[in-house]
Amino acid sequence: MLRFAPSPTGDMHIGNLRVAIFNYIVSKQRNENLIIRIEDTDKERNIEGKDKEILDILNLFGIEYSQVMYQSENVRFHTAMALQLLVEMKAFNCFCSTEWLDKKRDEAKESKTAYRYDDACASLPHELVIDNENPFTVRIRKPLEAIVVKDHIKGEIKFDPNDIDSFIIMRQDKTPMYNFACAVDDMLSDISLVIRGEDHVSNTPKQILIREALGYTKNIEYAHLPIILNDNGKKMSKRDDASSVKWLLEEGYLPSAIANYLILIGNKPPKEIFDIKEAIEWFSLENISKSPARFDINMLKHVNKEHLKMLDAKELSRYVGFADTEIGELAKIYLEEISTTKELKSKIQLIFSKKEIPEELKESADIMVKTIKSAPYFDEYDDFKNYIMKESGLKGKNFFRPLRLLLTGSEHGPDIALVYKYIKNYIGEIVK
Ligand code: GLU
């Protein structure tokens, strides 16, 4: 069983979508189920509706899963397991106040040493625990030996016992901390491989420690994906618009192209343009680069353009607000100069909008509008052109400039004869 475990705390980040796509691909390759676990135990950070938005995005990208579960529904298991660890003395109650711990943390910062909990409550006598009315957290005992993580991408990572302190697994309000809930849920769902972002690498030994303490012996495989960098070489964050999947979709990038791009970067695929289904045939986590991938919007544009070219005309026309093969063919002509459905839509809208005519062409344009409106239907551009030229008496620039403007809304663009082929049935709506 594989899992994708998003937190419903904001817009879906492309890094998360990449994690979801890789999980999906590998689940198909291994013929195992993929579950979606909404990690909603941090009530303060949850944003209502984000879970639904995440699931909608997964559906849009064709990511199939067998089940959706909410981590908050498992809290009774988290509590039971924490109790088990307390009974077995593998965890202990910690009465240190938040202020006290903050003070210790500040001191560590000042002396430039990494903060580690000092185990002040690790061996309190039982009677002190029983009679203590102060609020407490539950901490798991720190490891005595090194923990080694064998990562499919990063190779072997060894964590010294001193890297990990006796960390909190249950908060004072008795809700589980992220690492605890995650480790227990992966165990309960019988997860075989965890694919997630590398920001979680330091959590992995903690999660292994938790499961070992609970007596779980199954080895869970790991693959931590390198981060995605922006143009400035910094981690793509909320400040980078392109980090949001929703933004990319609104900007007119196709789901198939975004997925293609996210599989392409930092990887060695056998080809540049493909869909997820094809990637299932050759994808390998071992080919993913250890170093961060760099986000390049121009490359995404190129990939998007190639995916737009692959759409059939009718489908393409839907992206620009029609359901018509001719408009789809018309849109295809513009694919040479544009690369998103948003740009394409505005091109097509321009063709159907009331045109802005520069002052010096107004007179000729007025004559031309009248002539076109009273002209019969012509199947061939040349016949149309010759008729309008003859009837309007316009010539040269005074003919061709207003003609292109009236038909396309722009002074430059593709061969007008080609455009005519697809707009000839709409001349009445276009020239007004
Ligand atoms: N909920 C975590 C996140 O969104 C992922 C946890 C995990 O994959 O283990 O970053």
Side-chain angles (χ1 to χ4, degrees):
M1 183 89 78
L2 278 83
R3 78 342 180 248
F4 172 56
S7 304
T9 51
D11 280 0
M12 198 198 260
H13 186 281
I14 49 167
N16 273 343
L17 177 61
R18 188 160 173 246
V19 166
I21 293 172
F22 286 11
N23 270 297
Y24 168 64
I25 291 178
V26 177
S27 75
K28 286 283 167 208
Q29 289 178 331
R30 294 189 173 197
N31 213 359
E32 289 185 46
N33 281 335
L34 169 67
I35 54 171
I36 309 302
R37 183 171 75 225
I38 307 285
E39 302 213 315
D40 60 344
T41 39
D42 191 347
K43 294 270 179 299
E44 272 165 29
R45 294 186 57 227
N46 287 348
I47 300 177
E48 205 179 315
K50 287 291 164 194
D51 54 339
K52 171 91 187 10
E53 210 173 279
I54 292 168
L55 295 174
D56 286 347
I57 289 179
L58 296 181
N59 292 341
L60 192 65
F61 281 78
I63 295 174
E64 297 156 18
Y65 45 83
S66 60
Q67 194 193 345
V68 179
M69 52 195 283
Y70 285 78
Q71 189 156 59
S72 55
E73 287 167 7
N74 272 354
V75 169
R76 62 187 191 285
F77 297 118
H78 307 140
T79 313
M81 307 261 172
L83 267 175
Q84 180 189 325
L85 293 180
L86 279 173
V87 169
E88 293 174 1
M89 311 273 284
K90 290 174 179 162
F92 58 89
N93 297 1
C94 172
F95 298 94
C96 296
S97 68
T98 316
E99 297 73 34
W100 173 254
L101 294 171
D102 284 348
K103 186 171 158 274
K104 291 276 180 187
R105 209 170 270 124
D106 289 346
E107 281 171 12
K109 209 168 169 186
E110 262 166 47
S111 62
K112 295 198 166 52
T113 49
Y115 168 76
R116 302 274 183 267
Y117 175 65
D118 60 7
D119 273 355
C121 296
S123 29
L124 294 179
H126 288 322
E127 50 290 5
L128 269 191
V129 174
I130 289 246
D131 287 341
N132 204 326
E133 280 171 8
N134 291 317
F136 64 90
T137 58
V138 179
R139 287 181 185 268
I140 188 166
R141 287 185 200 280
K142 65 183 181 193
L144 301 172
E145 285 163 23
I147 296 177
V148 177
V149 179
K150 288 198 187 98
D151 190 280
H152 279 281
I153 296 166
K154 297 185 163 298
E156 214 172 83
I157 319 167
K158 190 169 173 188
F159 293 88
D160 195 71
N162 293 327
D163 290 340
I164 302 160
D165 60 3
S166 301
F167 58 93
I168 300 177
I169 55 172
M170 295 293 270
R171 298 183 183 90
Q172 286 184 344
D173 64 5
K174 304 299 159 292
T175 55
M177 291 289 282
Y178 156 71
N179 273 314
F180 191 57
C182 181
V184 169
D185 290 351
D186 284 342
M187 178 176 109
L188 293 178
S189 298
D190 190 22
I191 297 301
S192 53
L193 164 65
V194 169
I195 304 175
R196 61 182 172 193
E198 75 176 355
D199 43 334
H200 288 288
V201 167
S202 61
N203 290 321
T204 303
K206 295 184 175 178
Q207 296 176 9
I208 292 175
L209 177 77
I210 291 166
R211 281 192 300 267
E212 278 178 359
L214 287 167
Y216 190 72
T217 51
K218 174 171 167 165
N219 174 48
I220 298 185
E221 295 169 64
Y222 282 93
H224 289 94
L225 302 183
I227 53 169
I228 303 177
L229 300 179
N230 64 15
D231 275 347
N232 304 322
K234 299 245 163 64
K235 183 180 171 179
M236 288 276 273
S237 73
K238 275 192 202 131
R239 261 170 279 141
D240 302 294
D241 286 336
S243 71
S244 155
V245 177
K246 203 162 120 191
W247 185 86
L248 289 174
L249 291 168
E250 281 164 7
E251 282 302 295
Y253 294 95
L254 297 175
S256 63
I258 300 172
N260 182 156
Y261 180 71
L262 292 176
I263 299 169
L264 187 67
I265 51 172
N267 195 357
K268 295 185 213 130
K271 58 207 279 219
E272 192 179 71
I273 305 297
F274 48 81
D275 61 23
I276 298 191
K277 292 261 174 321
E278 276 178 85
I280 294 172
E281 288 163 28
W282 45 254
F283 181 85
S284 168
L285 283 172
E286 271 70 18
N287 282 339
I288 302 296
S289 163
K290 283 192 187 45
S291 33
R294 195 175 272 266
F295 186 84
D296 174 359
I297 194 91
N298 291 324
M299 184 61 186
L300 174 60
K301 283 190 173 149
H302 162 70
V303 172
N304 201 48
K305 193 184 274 215
E306 294 306 312
H307 278 258
L308 284 169
K309 284 184 193 164
M310 290 189 296
L311 292 181
D312 78 49
K314 189 139 185 191
E315 212 179 334
L316 184 60
S317 79
R318 288 202 191 95
Y319 284 97
V320 296
F322 288 80
D324 183 310
T325 309
E326 280 173 341
I327 300 297
E329 293 294 353
L330 174 67
K332 285 209 168 199
I333 303 175
Y334 282 94
L335 281 181
E336 286 311 317
E337 50 183 280
I338 64 92
S339 40
T340 66
T341 55
K342 187 174 168 184
E343 293 167 339
L344 203 53
K345 194 168 182 179
S346 62
K347 279 276 178 213
I348 304 296
Q349 270 171 354
L350 191 62
I351 294 177
F352 283 89
S353 65
K354 181 130 182 62
K355 314 299 184 312
E356 297 226 3
I357 309 289
E359 209 43 54
E360 76 268 21
L361 291 179
K362 279 222 159 89
E363 210 185 311
S364 343
D366 282 348
I367 300 172
M368 190 172 281
V369 170
K370 280 196 199 93
T371 319
I372 293 178
K373 279 191 168 164
S374 51
Y377 170 79
F378 291 99
D379 202 36
E380 294 297 331
Y381 171 67
D382 278 346
D383 298 339
F384 169 76
K385 182 188 73 184
N386 292 338
Y387 175 89
I388 305 296
M389 201 179 259
K390 188 160 156 266
E391 293 297 309
S392 66
L394 298 165
K395 282 196 217 64
K397 269 193 187 165
N398 278 341
F399 176 80
F400 286 106
R401 278 183 72 197
L403 181 70
R404 179 177 279 282
L405 266 172
L406 288 172
L407 293 186
T408 68
S410 169
E411 291 232 34
H412 310 278
D415 178 8
I416 201 77
L418 196 57
V419 173
Y420 183 80
K421 189 172 167 195
Y422 301 114
I423 61 169
K424 62 192 176 193
N425 289 317
Y426 299 91
I427 296 293
E429 285 167 63
I430 292 171
V431 178
K432 15 188 190 220

